[in-house]
Amino acid sequence: MSRNCQAPEAVSARRRPVHFRSRVLVGLLLDDSRDLNHGQVAGGAPVPGRSAPSGPLARTPDAGSDSPTGLDRGERLGTRFTARAAALAVMVTGLLVLGGWVLDLPSLKGPVAGLVQMKANAAIGLFAMGFSLLLLTLRPSRGRRVVAALAGGAAVLIGALTLAEYLLGHNLGIDELFFMDEHGDATVHPGRPAPQTAIEFLCLGTALVVLSGRKASRRVVDSLTGLAFMIALFAILGYAYG
């Protein structure tokens, strides 16, 4: 068969923009949630003891694709691999910062000289979110989703309590609950993450909890992650331009 006679699905797959993969990550996680709830696991295999959906609940994949998201198997695996790599990177970052607090190594608490060190509570929340995302990219099961929801909820709790301290102007006793911030004289509240960090934890932690649920809303997850991205972007621009 000549190159001009290639299947339309193959041509469209090659022309698909690179950023398309990042936009369907949430869709992949939502697909797994629906598979689990409708009696299937990732890949279409039925869950033992539960019948596969039929009639109006049955899914009909697009032609040339094994996924309702329109991605072929290779692209699905690539997107899932990217999500797992990001989750592991976040977890490792949190663990390194926690190691810096345990060993009292400023180079691990804040590797960039002149910037405020990452607080212990922020490192714990970071690790919890990475762990939650990692579980959501693995083979779906109820146990994994419960643990993922608890890990995401831990980040939400840290963010909510920290933000409440700023709004109420009262120390709730969580800033130095695990480690004393002996070098926190440069900050107004030793051991307390920034309010932007608290909002980030609220948004991303809530998004992870929603993804862990039985009926995950793509619109809610997209809105929360989009807000978190904008806050992080403005923070980076603030550091870049002083």
Short mmCIF file of all heavy atoms in Angstrom, two decimals, residues 7-10 12-13 16 20 24 28 31 43 59-77:
data_model
loop_
_atom_site.label_atom_id
_atom_site.label_comp_id
_atom_site.label_asym_id
_atom_site.label_seq_id
_atom_site.Cartn_x
_atom_site.Cartn_y
_atom_site.Cartn_z
N ALA A 7 -4.19 4.60 6.28
CA ALA A 7 -5.46 4.73 6.99
C ALA A 7 -5.60 6.13 7.57
O ALA A 7 -4.63 6.71 8.06
CB ALA A 7 -5.54 3.69 8.11
N PRO A 8 -6.82 6.70 7.52
CA PRO A 8 -7.03 8.05 8.09
C PRO A 8 -6.66 8.11 9.56
O PRO A 8 -6.20 9.13 10.05
CB PRO A 8 -8.52 8.30 7.86
CG PRO A 8 -8.92 7.36 6.76
CD PRO A 8 -8.03 6.16 6.90
N GLU A 9 -6.90 7.00 10.30
CA GLU A 9 -6.59 7.01 11.73
C GLU A 9 -5.10 7.19 11.97
O GLU A 9 -4.66 7.90 12.88
CB GLU A 9 -7.07 5.72 12.39
CG GLU A 9 -8.57 5.55 12.40
CD GLU A 9 -9.09 4.99 11.08
OE1 GLU A 9 -8.24 4.77 10.18
OE2 GLU A 9 -10.30 4.78 10.97
N ALA A 10 -4.27 6.52 11.14
CA ALA A 10 -2.82 6.64 11.32
C ALA A 10 -2.34 8.03 11.00
O ALA A 10 -1.47 8.59 11.67
CB ALA A 10 -2.11 5.62 10.42
N SER A 12 -4.13 10.90 11.17
CA SER A 12 -4.56 11.83 12.21
C SER A 12 -3.77 11.66 13.48
O SER A 12 -3.52 12.61 14.21
CB SER A 12 -6.05 11.63 12.50
OG SER A 12 -6.27 10.32 12.97
N ALA A 13 -3.32 10.42 13.78
CA ALA A 13 -2.53 10.19 14.99
C ALA A 13 -1.20 10.88 14.91
O ALA A 13 -0.69 11.41 15.89
CB ALA A 13 -2.35 8.69 15.21
N ARG A 16 -1.51 14.75 15.26
CA ARG A 16 -2.06 15.24 16.52
C ARG A 16 -1.01 16.08 17.25
O ARG A 16 0.14 15.64 17.39
CB ARG A 16 -2.50 14.06 17.38
CG ARG A 16 -3.26 14.45 18.61
CD ARG A 16 -3.78 13.20 19.29
NE ARG A 16 -4.86 12.61 18.50
CZ ARG A 16 -4.93 11.33 18.20
NH1 ARG A 16 -3.97 10.52 18.56
NH2 ARG A 16 -5.94 10.86 17.49
N PHE A 20 -1.62 17.80 22.94
CA PHE A 20 -2.87 17.06 23.08
C PHE A 20 -2.78 16.01 24.17
O PHE A 20 -3.73 15.75 24.87
CB PHE A 20 -3.20 16.39 21.74
CG PHE A 20 -4.47 15.60 21.74
CD1 PHE A 20 -5.69 16.23 21.64
CD2 PHE A 20 -4.44 14.22 21.85
CE1 PHE A 20 -6.86 15.52 21.64
CE2 PHE A 20 -5.61 13.50 21.84
CZ PHE A 20 -6.82 14.14 21.73
N VAL A 24 -5.37 15.28 27.78
CA VAL A 24 -6.24 14.11 27.96
C VAL A 24 -5.86 13.31 29.19
O VAL A 24 -6.44 12.26 29.44
CB VAL A 24 -6.20 13.19 26.72
CG1 VAL A 24 -6.66 13.92 25.49
CG2 VAL A 24 -4.79 12.64 26.52
N LEU A 28 -8.04 10.27 30.84
CA LEU A 28 -7.64 8.88 31.07
C LEU A 28 -8.00 8.43 32.47
O LEU A 28 -8.48 7.32 32.69
CB LEU A 28 -6.13 8.74 30.84
CG LEU A 28 -5.65 8.93 29.40
CD1 LEU A 28 -4.14 8.82 29.34
CD2 LEU A 28 -6.30 7.93 28.48
N ASP A 31 -11.66 7.91 32.64
CA ASP A 31 -12.05 6.69 31.96
C ASP A 31 -11.86 5.48 32.85
O ASP A 31 -12.69 4.58 32.92
CB ASP A 31 -11.22 6.49 30.69
CG ASP A 31 -11.61 7.50 29.61
OD1 ASP A 31 -12.71 8.07 29.72
OD2 ASP A 31 -10.80 7.71 28.69
N GLY A 43 -8.41 -1.38 30.02
CA GLY A 43 -8.16 -2.34 28.98
C GLY A 43 -9.42 -3.08 28.57
O GLY A 43 -9.43 -3.83 27.60
N ARG A 59 -19.97 1.51 26.28
CA ARG A 59 -19.15 2.48 25.58
C ARG A 59 -18.79 1.95 24.20
O ARG A 59 -18.50 0.77 24.04
CB ARG A 59 -17.88 2.79 26.35
CG ARG A 59 -18.11 3.38 27.72
CD ARG A 59 -16.80 3.79 28.34
NE ARG A 59 -15.85 2.69 28.30
CZ ARG A 59 -14.55 2.82 28.52
NH1 ARG A 59 -14.06 4.01 28.74
NH2 ARG A 59 -13.76 1.78 28.48
N THR A 60 -18.76 2.82 23.22
CA THR A 60 -18.36 2.44 21.87
C THR A 60 -17.13 3.24 21.49
O THR A 60 -17.23 4.42 21.16
CB THR A 60 -19.50 2.73 20.87
OG1 THR A 60 -20.67 2.04 21.31
CG2 THR A 60 -19.11 2.27 19.48
N PRO A 61 -15.93 2.65 21.56
CA PRO A 61 -14.72 3.38 21.23
C PRO A 61 -14.74 3.87 19.80
O PRO A 61 -15.38 3.28 18.92
CB PRO A 61 -13.60 2.35 21.47
CG PRO A 61 -14.22 1.31 22.35
CD PRO A 61 -15.66 1.27 21.97
N ASP A 62 -14.00 4.94 19.55
CA ASP A 62 -13.88 5.48 18.21
C ASP A 62 -13.16 4.50 17.31
O ASP A 62 -12.36 3.69 17.75
CB ASP A 62 -13.11 6.82 18.23
CG ASP A 62 -13.85 7.85 19.04
OD1 ASP A 62 -15.09 7.72 19.18
OD2 ASP A 62 -13.18 8.78 19.55
N ALA A 63 -13.43 4.59 16.04
CA ALA A 63 -12.78 3.71 15.08
C ALA A 63 -11.28 3.94 15.08
O ALA A 63 -10.81 5.07 15.06
CB ALA A 63 -13.34 3.96 13.68
N GLY A 64 -10.51 2.85 15.09
CA GLY A 64 -9.06 2.95 15.09
C GLY A 64 -8.47 3.27 16.43
O GLY A 64 -7.30 3.56 16.53
N SER A 65 -9.27 3.28 17.50
CA SER A 65 -8.76 3.62 18.82
C SER A 65 -9.38 2.70 19.83
O SER A 65 -10.53 2.30 19.71
CB SER A 65 -9.08 5.08 19.17
OG SER A 65 -8.76 5.34 20.51
N ASP A 66 -8.61 2.36 20.89
CA ASP A 66 -9.13 1.51 21.94
C ASP A 66 -9.58 2.31 23.14
O ASP A 66 -9.76 1.80 24.22
CB ASP A 66 -8.07 0.47 22.38
CG ASP A 66 -6.82 1.12 22.94
OD1 ASP A 66 -6.72 2.37 22.83
OD2 ASP A 66 -5.96 0.41 23.48
N SER A 67 -9.75 3.62 22.98
CA SER A 67 -10.12 4.48 24.09
C SER A 67 -11.13 5.51 23.64
O SER A 67 -11.03 6.03 22.53
CB SER A 67 -8.88 5.19 24.65
OG SER A 67 -9.24 6.22 25.53
N PRO A 68 -12.10 5.86 24.50
CA PRO A 68 -13.05 6.91 24.16
C PRO A 68 -12.39 8.28 24.04
O PRO A 68 -12.98 9.20 23.51
CB PRO A 68 -14.05 6.89 25.31
CG PRO A 68 -13.86 5.59 25.99
CD PRO A 68 -12.44 5.21 25.77
N THR A 69 -11.18 8.44 24.55
CA THR A 69 -10.50 9.72 24.44
C THR A 69 -9.94 9.96 23.05
O THR A 69 -9.45 11.04 22.77
CB THR A 69 -9.34 9.78 25.45
OG1 THR A 69 -8.45 8.70 25.19
CG2 THR A 69 -9.85 9.70 26.87
N GLY A 70 -9.96 8.95 22.17
CA GLY A 70 -9.45 9.11 20.84
C GLY A 70 -7.98 8.80 20.71
O GLY A 70 -7.39 9.01 19.65
N LEU A 71 -7.35 8.31 21.76
CA LEU A 71 -5.94 7.98 21.73
C LEU A 71 -5.77 6.49 21.47
O LEU A 71 -6.55 5.67 21.96
CB LEU A 71 -5.25 8.32 23.06
CG LEU A 71 -5.19 9.79 23.45
CD1 LEU A 71 -4.53 9.93 24.81
CD2 LEU A 71 -4.43 10.59 22.43
N ASP A 72 -4.73 6.14 20.70
CA ASP A 72 -4.44 4.72 20.54
C ASP A 72 -3.69 4.24 21.77
O ASP A 72 -3.35 5.00 22.67
CB ASP A 72 -3.65 4.47 19.25
CG ASP A 72 -2.33 5.25 19.22
OD1 ASP A 72 -1.74 5.48 20.30
OD2 ASP A 72 -1.90 5.63 18.12
N ARG A 73 -3.42 2.94 21.81
CA ARG A 73 -2.83 2.35 23.01
C ARG A 73 -1.47 2.94 23.33
O ARG A 73 -1.14 3.21 24.49
CB ARG A 73 -2.73 0.84 22.83
CG ARG A 73 -2.15 0.12 24.04
CD ARG A 73 -2.16 -1.38 23.84
NE ARG A 73 -1.57 -2.07 24.98
CZ ARG A 73 -2.20 -2.31 26.11
NH1 ARG A 73 -3.45 -1.93 26.26
NH2 ARG A 73 -1.60 -2.94 27.10
N GLY A 74 -0.65 3.17 22.29
CA GLY A 74 0.68 3.73 22.52
C GLY A 74 0.63 5.11 23.13
O GLY A 74 1.41 5.44 24.03
N GLU A 75 -0.29 5.94 22.65
CA GLU A 75 -0.41 7.29 23.19
C GLU A 75 -0.94 7.28 24.61
O GLU A 75 -0.55 8.09 25.44
CB GLU A 75 -1.32 8.12 22.28
CG GLU A 75 -0.68 8.45 20.94
CD GLU A 75 -1.67 9.12 20.01
OE1 GLU A 75 -2.80 8.64 19.89
OE2 GLU A 75 -1.28 10.14 19.40
N ARG A 76 -1.86 6.36 24.90
CA ARG A 76 -2.37 6.23 26.26
C ARG A 76 -1.24 5.86 27.21
O ARG A 76 -1.11 6.42 28.30
CB ARG A 76 -3.48 5.17 26.32
CG ARG A 76 -4.82 5.63 25.79
CD ARG A 76 -5.79 4.48 25.68
NE ARG A 76 -6.02 3.84 26.97
CZ ARG A 76 -6.97 4.21 27.82
NH1 ARG A 76 -7.75 5.22 27.53
NH2 ARG A 76 -7.14 3.57 28.95
N LEU A 77 -0.43 4.90 26.81
CA LEU A 77 0.69 4.48 27.66
C LEU A 77 1.69 5.60 27.85
O LEU A 77 2.24 5.79 28.93
CB LEU A 77 1.37 3.25 27.05
CG LEU A 77 0.55 1.96 27.04
CD1 LEU A 77 1.33 0.85 26.33
CD2 LEU A 77 0.20 1.53 28.46
#
